[in-house]
Amino acid sequence: MLVAPLGARLRDVLRRNGISPHSRATRRLNCGGRGLCATCGVRLVDEQAPEHWHDRLADRFGYPRLSCQLRVDGDCTVQLDREKLVWGRRE
């Protein structure tokens, strides 16, 4: 269980706690949290309403959500995909 301040970006919370939302290939090759590369995808077990344009598409087509664009607004359960491809994977 991780504790985060309200409004914190999920990607930052994960990384501060030694958990990378990136695959081994994209840990160094990513956009730094600007929502451009789609390499920090996570699956939310407790769905939150999409805020970022990519997250609206992810919600519509079943792609992972961008952890760099998700703000912590309460309790949530996150599933990381350690086997993901560079641009994520559909379920």
Side-chain angles (χ1 to χ4, degrees):
M1 181 165 114
L2 303 177
V3 177
L6 288 178
R9 291 191 187 270
L10 182 57
R11 176 185 181 270
D12 298 337
V13 172
L14 292 171
R15 294 187 68 201
R16 272 195 299 269
N17 286 279
I19 302 168
S20 177
H22 301 284
S23 69
R24 190 168 48 192
T26 62
R27 283 193 181 136
R28 293 184 185 185
L29 301 171
N30 60 72
C31 69
R34 292 186 293 276
L36 302 173
C37 69
T39 62
C40 66
V42 298
R43 303 235 180 236
L44 293 179
V45 176
D46 310 322
E47 277 299 317
Q48 290 179 325
E51 296 176 11
H52 186 267
W53 66 266
H54 183 278
D55 289 334
R56 286 191 291 276
L57 289 175
D59 188 48
R60 182 175 175 191
F61 295 108
Y63 290 111
R65 302 277 298 273
L66 295 181
S67 63
C68 69
Q69 300 301 313
L70 287 169
R71 296 218 179 251
V72 176
D73 64 359
D75 292 342
C76 66
T77 303
V78 177
Q79 179 183 12
L80 299 176
D81 184 0
R82 301 285 183 194
E83 304 294 322
K84 68 182 168 186
L85 303 172
V86 172
W87 300 112
R89 174 175 60 209
R90 283 181 100 158
E91 282 188 343

